[in-house]
Amino acid sequence: MEIDPFIFRSSIFILSIFIGYYVVWSVTPSLHTPLMSVTNAISSVIIVGAIIAALAGNSESIFNTSSFFGFIAIILAAINIFGGFLVTQRMLQMYKKKKDKKK
Amino acid sequence: MISANLAAIFYLVSGILFILALRGLSSPDTSRQGNYFGIAGMIIAIVVTFLSIGNFSTSLVYVIIFLIIGGAIGAFIAFKIPMTAMPELVAGFHSLVGLAAVFVAIAAFLNPAAFNLGNVGDIKLASLIEMSIGAAVGAITFSGSIIAFLKLRGIMSGAPITFSGQHILNLILGIGIFVLIFYLCKTQSTNIFWTVIIISFLVGVLLIIPIGGADMPVVISMLNSYSGWAAAGIGFTLENTALIITGALVGSSGAILSYIMCKAMNRSFVSVILGGFGADNSADDKKEKKDQKPVKSGNAEDAAFLMKNASSVIIVPGYGMAVAQAQHALREMVDKLKKNDIKVTYAIHPVAGRMPGHMNVLLAEANVPYDEVFELEDINNDFANSDVAFVIGANDVTNPVAKTDPKSPIFGMPVLDVEKCKSVLFVKRSLSPGYAGIDNELFYKDNTLMLFADAKKMTEDIVKNLD
């Protein structure tokens, strides 16, 4: 009997929760704010769905309802991707060790 | 056009890169590299999506245009935002993820064929459940984050908004969503789908309005978690590994942060969610006590004198420092102290500020090296051996009541043992209680000197007096 692909995806999902659990516990508390902004940025990988939706319409009717939502979602996710990664980068750039800059 | 299998492998690669991005954050040294992994993962995911669709018609141009518009807005915000505004920025970003999830779900519902989910009116059952859950969680994330954003921004009062029957209403609406999803599966009706989304928007609002300002660290972490689960829900719909992995990572990350925040406040997650904390009912009792007890107050000169003659100083920053933007002045003060060979360290409580790690970012911004900044457990024993504790903008997290008075609402909350220092300098605008709405015993201790002023102004004055 064939295994339903849903089971495979659920397996990936559950294993990823475990990975997330251990990886996030090892994040140093001083970097919790960058952690939030970077998780924000990566969750915008939802843009993948937005692109599929946007490109689903054929060339003549680019802006039918379904792809319209896709296009808006692209903007929203793109704000998040660029904003999220850049602001994380900006924050991480500020974390310096004692000897690096001082004296 | 690349095959679906190859695309799936690439999505897996980008998922792994996202894991490495989070892994990098285990130390500031590796964090920047981690961020590049994250960016690489994102680029791979986007490029692979283009390739797997293989539709290089005019619409691709539009997609790129929209990407650039969004990217430009995001980049602009990222460079302009002051570090003190990070909590509202993150809340705002969560709302975007939530809304994007809703829109993707709507697009999939209206045009299921494009996603291989069946046809309009005949969407696969599993996909329908996944997309409606994704849409519902996304909608809750969106409206909840908007409320959190408004509260953090100060546009909306941080005070909890409660009304009778609130929890029952939430419960009914929550059950309603599940019932509607059930009927949606039976009827495939567009109207029910829209209703689910609208009710979810409403639930998001109702869920966040009763939660007070001091609980915002939990709220932000919780919404972070929701945005992850929404992404995972959409990931299942789209059968996309990258999205499922990311959703699970973000979801568990937010959940862990919420847990850490709750623990740092000694409050259960449920009690935070039910809200109403800080609305306070014992106001009269508090005022009486305040009138009776004497308080020693001093000025910048006294503070400067005390610190100059100390050999070690511990600084305890809190939300007040962020509000007053005092971090740069503080750093100047510390530089002067160090010139006099005084040992200075920073003690940070997990819930100081309005989001996890908020104080660390502000201090980093003011060029404070991160190895001088310590977490609660690492530094709490040092207070007894230090001469001066300089509390700037923190309050509840230093309240000894948490250790002594079992009746206190914050009893059991881990606090910084500032009172063990030889002397305590407490910068505060007035004697008003903190967000927990309780009086701080520390104000009335013999070794406490209150410095009534704006945190930034006081620090600047101290700097002048240190010369």
Side-chain angles (χ1 to χ4, degrees):
Chain A
M1 212 180 104
E2 222 181 318
I3 300 169
D4 194 309
F6 177 79
I7 304 296
F8 279 117
R9 282 190 280 278
S10 305
S11 318
I12 294 173
F13 180 62
I14 291 162
L15 288 175
S16 304
I17 292 177
F18 275 93
I19 294 173
Y21 179 85
Y22 289 107
V23 167
V24 171
W25 271 118
S26 73
V27 170
T28 161
S30 67
L31 290 175
H32 276 162
T33 299
L35 170 68
M36 299 199 90
S37 59
V38 86
T39 50
N40 218 315
I42 63 172
S43 55
S44 304
V45 73
I46 201 157
I47 197 167
V48 166
I51 295 172
I52 298 174
L55 289 181
N58 47 37
S59 312
E60 290 92 61
S61 61
I62 292 162
F63 293 106
N64 65 33
T65 1
S66 148
S67 39
F68 172 77
F69 281 111
F71 277 112
I72 303 289
I74 288 179
I75 294 193
L76 297 175
I79 295 178
N80 235 325
I81 293 172
F82 282 76
F85 280 124
L86 289 173
V87 90
T88 310
Q89 194 65 17
R90 215 182 118 200
M91 275 191 278
L92 295 176
Q93 225 79 57
M94 299 186 311
Y95 281 81
K96 292 191 181 92
K97 253 198 178 140
K98 206 179 274 174
K99 303 280 162 347
D100 277 9
K101 200 175 169 189
K102 265 187 47 214
K103 282 171 194 172
Chain B
M1 183 129 181
I2 58 176
S3 79
N5 284 334
L6 192 58
I9 291 169
F10 276 115
Y11 284 133
L12 179 64
V13 170
S14 84
I16 291 168
L17 285 167
F18 291 149
I19 295 172
L20 292 176
L22 299 193
R23 184 77 189 97
L25 290 170
S26 56
S27 133
D29 295 329
T30 54
S31 60
R32 279 166 282 243
Q33 189 195 18
N35 202 33
Y36 292 128
F37 280 137
I39 295 171
M42 189 61 75
I43 293 171
I44 291 176
I46 292 174
V47 171
V48 167
T49 310
F50 281 140
L51 292 177
S52 65
I53 297 173
N55 172 3
F56 295 106
S57 58
T58 38
S59 37
L60 184 71
V61 181
Y62 285 103
V63 169
I64 290 172
I65 291 174
F66 279 80
L67 247 173
I68 292 171
I69 295 174
I73 300 172
F76 179 78
I77 298 172
F79 284 116
K80 283 282 163 207
I81 193 91
M83 284 301 144
T84 40
M86 275 318 288
E88 52 262 47
L89 177 75
V90 169
F93 277 172
H94 285 155
S95 74
L96 298 182
V97 179
L99 196 58
V102 174
F103 283 173
V104 172
I106 294 174
F109 184 79
L110 295 178
N111 188 3
F115 297 89
N116 289 325
L117 306 174
N119 295 302
V120 180
D122 184 26
I123 300 170
K124 283 189 277 182
L125 181 64
S127 312
L128 200 55
I129 298 172
E130 288 153 7
M131 73 171 78
S132 43
I133 290 176
V137 179
I140 293 173
T141 312
F142 170 71
S143 56
S145 301
I146 293 285
I147 301 294
F149 175 83
L150 295 176
K151 284 194 172 194
L152 287 163
R153 192 86 225 173
I155 298 169
M156 205 174 135
S157 152
I161 299 169
T162 48
F163 52 89
S164 61
Q166 195 163 21
H167 303 318
I168 296 168
L169 179 65
N170 286 348
L171 189 68
I172 293 172
L173 289 177
I175 295 170
I177 290 176
F178 281 103
V179 173
L180 283 172
I181 291 178
F182 179 74
Y183 278 105
L184 177 65
C185 295
K186 280 184 106 173
T187 62
Q188 306 250 354
S189 145
T190 320
N191 287 338
I192 294 183
F193 185 70
W194 292 115
T195 319
V196 167
I197 292 174
I198 290 166
I199 294 182
S200 305
F201 279 132
L202 194 63
V203 169
V205 174
L206 290 171
L207 214 52
I208 307 300
I209 51 168
I211 305 181
D215 286 338
M216 277 303 154
V218 183
V219 170
I220 296 197
S221 319
M222 186 182 85
L223 291 167
N224 186 236
S225 183
Y226 285 0
S227 69
W229 303 132
I234 303 297
F236 273 99
T237 322
L238 305 184
E239 311 185 343
N240 183 307
T241 339
L243 252 175
I244 296 177
I245 295 177
T246 318
L249 287 178
V250 177
S252 52
S253 157
I256 290 172
L257 288 176
S258 319
Y259 170 80
I260 295 175
M261 294 299 114
C262 286
K263 206 157 181 265
M265 293 193 290
N266 191 38
R267 305 197 39 212
S268 75
F269 187 67
V270 176
S271 83
V272 173
I273 297 306
L274 294 181
F277 195 68
D280 217 36
N281 11 44
S282 60
D284 315 320
D285 160 62
K286 235 165 29 211
K287 269 190 200 114
E288 263 170 52
K289 263 200 275 177
K290 211 186 292 172
D291 295 336
Q292 287 165 5
K293 288 196 230 165
V295 168
K296 275 202 289 186
S297 83
N299 55 27
E301 218 174 304
D302 306 328
F305 178 79
L306 256 172
M307 280 197 272
K308 240 195 246 173
N309 291 303
S311 61
S312 56
V313 174
I314 300 181
I315 295 177
V316 182
Y319 183 60
M321 180 188 84
V323 175
Q325 302 260 19
Q327 66 271 33
H328 298 283
L330 183 70
R331 150 85 199 203
E332 227 179 294
M333 185 187 92
V334 170
D335 281 348
K336 289 237 159 109
L337 291 175
K338 278 188 183 157
K339 262 187 212 142
N340 292 335
D341 279 330
I342 299 166
K343 187 180 163 238
V344 186
T345 43
Y346 300 80
I348 297 191
H349 192 277
V351 290
R354 283 291 175 271
M355 75 184 293
H358 191 189
M359 289 300 124
N360 302 76
V361 172
L362 293 181
L363 291 176
E365 187 199 12
N367 273 324
V368 172
Y370 62 80
D371 38 8
E372 286 175 13
V373 182
F374 296 94
E375 302 301 318
L376 175 81
E377 311 88 69
D378 300 328
I379 200 165
N380 227 0
N381 292 328
D382 294 356
F383 281 106
N385 306 320
S386 296
D387 298 317
V388 178
F390 186 74
V391 183
I392 175 166
N395 185 1
D396 292 331
V397 298
T398 63
N399 198 340
V401 149
K403 289 175 287 191
T404 53
D405 180 8
K407 274 180 287 184
S408 165
I410 60 165
F411 181 71
M413 164 172 148
V415 288
L416 292 158
D417 297 332
V418 264
E419 78 279 1
K420 289 187 182 152
C421 263
K422 287 203 190 79
S423 41
V424 179
L425 293 169
F426 212 112
V427 185
K428 208 170 179 309
R429 267 176 302 193
S430 70
L431 271 185
S432 61
Y435 265 99
I438 41 168
D439 212 13
N440 194 340
E441 251 180 37
L442 203 58
F443 299 164
Y444 315 107
K445 295 249 173 183
D446 283 340
N447 58 347
T448 304
L449 191 67
M450 299 296 296
L451 306 168
F452 292 114
D454 172 73
K456 189 178 178 190
K457 210 180 154 295
M458 176 54 75
T459 315
E460 283 167 350
D461 287 348
I462 295 175
V463 171
K464 278 183 214 141
N465 278 293
L466 278 174
D467 289 320

